[in-house]
Amino acid sequence: MLLVLRAVPAGAAGGHPMSSDWAAIVLAAGQGKRMRSSRPKILHTILGRPMVEWVIAALHGAGAAKVVLVLSPADHQQIASSLHLDGISVALQSEPLGTALAARCAQAELNGWHSEIVVACGDSPLLRSETVSGLLTAHRHSGAALTLATARAGDPTGYGRIKRDESDRPCAIVEEAAAHEDDRLSNEVNSGLYCFSPGHLWRWLAEIKPSAAGEYYLTDALELAYQENAIVAEINSELTELAGVNDRAQLAEAARQLQTRINTALMRSGVTMIDPLTTWVEPTVHLAPDVTLMPGVLLRGQTVIEAGAEIGPNSEIVDSRIGPRSQVRWSVIEQATVGAKVTIGPFSHLRPGTIVADGVHIGNFAEVKNSRLGPNTKMGHFSYLGDAEVGAEVNIGAGTITCNYDAESDTKNKTVIGDYAAIGSDTMLVAPVSVGAGAVTGAGSVVTHDLKPGDVAIGAPARVVRQSRRKLPKGNDEFRRDD
Ligand code: UD1
Ligand code: CA
């Protein structure tokens, strides 16, 4: 069988391959037993992204025109509801009888495909676009029927070993289970990334015989290629680019590699990291130059941190925006928007729907949920604001609580606090309630009625007025009074 060769421009290796009509098959129908998990292996996440999405992103980044994902029917529903499968074709492998059968399942999706087919494993999240481009370039340059990505492994355990003939040509891949003592001495391994010309691929897949264990190994394609003297090309890659994840220890190792990759790029783009080893930034996060990340920071989702902000130590920020020159220490922030020059923490929690204006100070042990805080408002100590609209330059005294939840009606109510109001320590604001601009409450006040602008209110009107109408579960009548 002849390969149609395309011209490859000089220097294309490592870059984008010149034509983008190649397809990829991602093998992901294995049982993943070594993970010991009820979740399919490829859904285990690294930096917030399922393992297989890293692989698919690398293939798309290299210009794959079509990606066929091979899944087991048992996992299909769970995977389809957890992944963005738009633009990806799915093929189902009814029985997990090996990588060759898995690749064969993709054939119907690739009927009539005339260009190269790259086969990758769904459990190799370290795959880079550059490696895939290099593989294609080598394949096209050499006119090969099969191109392999091989690697030297410090510890080759678990990998298929490359076997060479006396003239050093690769002639077979010996799987760990079938390897003899001398095969195991070799540390040259098969990384599980291949490029095939389609005609050879489908023919070899049909010829592969089951192993002693009854599995059909895709790796046997090398031996078939060798026997028929087809051209086999190779790229030598770092195992850190192609390591397979079979168990959770390898998952953590792969995560460490991706963390290093992301952190190195961020530091080169102008982010300071005091301790990159304990700093985890998901690939979806955007950091401006001159952001400083202290040890123990976890930044997730669609988070944006603007220039000069300092985050950490020990903080988690999810789907939030932190304005320029703000500081967040030992705190958790979720789906919140924080302005410029804001200080937060230690030990505070901003929950979804919180919007904090410039110059705000949120100190120790504060919780803010679904609330707005106006410019320069201060909330120093032990407070809870929920469903509140707070103006500018307000002082929220220590221990202030918005009593936003009405247990009888099971509703949340709003508190409005005007500009320049001063809320005394330990004030309970029983919502719905409003405090006018410039109003003041004394320490320990329980505010149950609206205050007009400039009012000073003190005291605790807490007295029993009537029986609760709150619905209790049946059998709790002893809590009802008789009168
Ligand atoms: C495989 C290779 C090995 C290579 C290693 C690189 C084979 C026989 N062995 O071994 O040479 O060194 O990858 O990481 O190919 N899968 C299916 N259907 C199946 C079986 C597996 O789709 O019936 C998928 C798995 O989900 C996985 C991939 O194929 O994503 C590789 O399978 P796995 O069982 O992890 O193979 P390894 O033992 O790692
Ligand atoms: Ca594997």
Side-chain angles (χ1 to χ4, degrees):
M1 196 161 296
L2 260 181
L3 257 183
V4 183
L5 273 177
R6 284 165 199 80
V8 178
H16 230 281
M18 66 165 298
S19 63
S20 260
D21 50 0
W22 55 277
I25 302 174
V26 179
L27 308 180
Q31 292 172 297
K33 281 189 193 150
R34 291 166 277 185
M35 293 299 279
R36 299 185 187 278
S37 175
S38 58
R39 198 154 33 127
K41 172 162 79 170
I42 58 159
L43 287 187
H44 282 258
T45 59
I46 296 181
L47 282 155
R49 192 184 258 183
M51 203 176 341
V52 71
E53 278 190 11
W54 288 93
V55 179
I56 292 171
L59 293 165
H60 278 146
K66 177 159 183 161
V67 174
V68 183
L69 180 63
V70 183
L71 299 176
S72 99
D75 296 341
H76 184 205
Q77 276 312 320
Q78 203 179 346
I79 289 172
S81 59
S82 319
L83 294 183
H84 310 290
L85 291 177
D86 306 343
I88 292 172
S89 313
V90 171
L92 297 180
Q93 183 188 7
S94 51
E95 295 225 52
L97 288 178
T99 44
L101 282 191
R104 221 176 149 179
C105 292
Q107 187 169 5
E109 288 293 332
L110 289 168
N111 252 339
W113 195 269
H114 292 300
S115 304
E116 299 83 355
I117 295 175
V118 168
V119 181
C121 294
D123 65 354
S124 45
L126 298 174
L127 183 62
R128 281 190 207 255
S129 298
E130 291 82 354
T131 309
V132 179
S133 297
L135 179 82
L136 275 150
T137 304
H139 189 84
R140 290 168 177 181
H141 264 312
S142 54
L146 162 63
T147 303
L148 299 169
T150 61
R152 293 275 170 195
D155 174 11
T157 310
Y159 289 94
R161 312 295 205 281
I162 305 289
K163 224 179 154 122
R164 291 183 182 273
D165 69 8
E166 50 291 344
S167 49
D168 217 29
R169 282 170 61 203
C171 55
I173 295 168
V174 189
E175 288 306 308
E176 174 96 3
H180 296 294
E181 212 46 44
D182 52 336
D183 298 322
R184 286 182 199 210
L185 289 177
S186 161
N187 70 347
E188 193 189 9
V189 300
N190 166 36
S191 63
L193 176 72
Y194 324 82
C195 183
F196 290 92
S197 66
H200 287 89
L201 174 62
W202 307 129
R203 186 163 50 78
W204 289 332
L205 288 179
E207 284 174 20
I208 287 171
K209 303 268 180 310
S211 71
E215 281 199 30
Y216 295 78
Y217 293 153
L218 175 59
T219 45
D220 285 351
L222 175 59
E223 204 168 333
L224 295 177
Y226 182 80
Q227 280 163 9
E228 64 187 61
N229 224 3
I231 301 176
V232 175
E234 292 174 68
I235 59 164
N236 298 304
S237 40
E238 295 292 323
L239 200 56
T240 48
E241 311 271 304
L242 290 157
V245 170
N246 296 323
D247 59 32
R248 296 190 205 220
Q250 289 172 332
L251 180 71
E253 245 166 69
R256 175 71 72 199
Q257 294 287 342
L258 287 168
Q259 175 206 35
T260 303
R261 243 184 238 178
I262 289 174
N263 287 358
T264 303
L266 285 171
M267 289 187 279
R268 299 233 156 96
S269 76
V271 172
T272 297
M273 289 187 191
I274 305 303
D275 183 14
L277 284 178
T278 61
T279 303
W280 294 85
V281 182
E282 293 185 354
T284 42
V285 170
H286 180 78
L287 303 183
D290 284 325
V291 162
T292 298
L293 303 182
M294 307 290 278
V297 166
L298 174 56
L299 304 178
R300 301 173 46 204
Q302 303 300 322
T303 292
V304 175
I305 316 273
E306 296 189 55
E310 193 175 302
I311 312 296
N314 297 332
S315 295
E316 179 183 9
I317 302 183
V318 189
D319 294 330
S320 296
R321 184 173 199 105
I322 309 292
R325 297 184 303 291
S326 287
Q327 201 185 46
V328 177
R329 301 162 59 209
W330 302 79
S331 292
V332 175
I333 299 183
E334 304 165 90
Q335 292 169 45
T337 304
V338 173
K341 287 193 176 173
V342 171
T343 51
I344 296 171
F347 311 114
S348 284
H349 186 186
L350 305 196
R351 293 171 47 204
T354 295
I355 300 175
V356 175
D358 298 350
V360 165
H361 169 67
I362 295 173
N364 316 272
F365 303 102
E367 175 178 344
V368 185
K369 185 217 78 172
N370 189 34
S371 297
R372 281 173 181 268
L373 274 68
N376 301 322
T377 283
K378 308 226 164 349
M379 177 185 180
H381 334 266
F382 313 106
S383 291
Y384 171 62
L385 294 180
D387 308 303
E389 189 99 27
V390 182
E393 309 279 351
V394 171
N395 197 2
I396 306 280
T400 296
I401 303 287
T402 53
C403 309
N404 61 328
Y405 177 58
D406 181 340
E408 278 190 271
S409 62
D410 190 27
T411 54
K412 299 283 171 67
N413 296 300
K414 194 167 171 179
T415 301
V416 178
I417 302 176
D419 298 346
Y420 297 100
I423 309 299
S425 295
D426 234 346
T427 295
M428 303 292 124
L429 298 159
V430 183
V433 74
S434 70
V435 174
V440 175
T441 69
S445 304
V446 178
V447 181
T448 54
H449 293 95
D450 293 353
L451 302 183
K452 295 195 184 63
D455 275 353
V456 173
I458 60 169
R463 54 204 168 84
V464 178
V465 287
R466 61 169 172 76
Q467 206 185 115
S468 166
R469 295 191 192 107
R470 188 174 180 206
K471 290 192 184 65
L472 294 176
K474 281 207 179 80
N476 289 290
D477 291 339
E478 69 270 26
F479 298 122
R480 302 282 179 209
R481 288 190 332 199
D482 293 322
D483 56 340

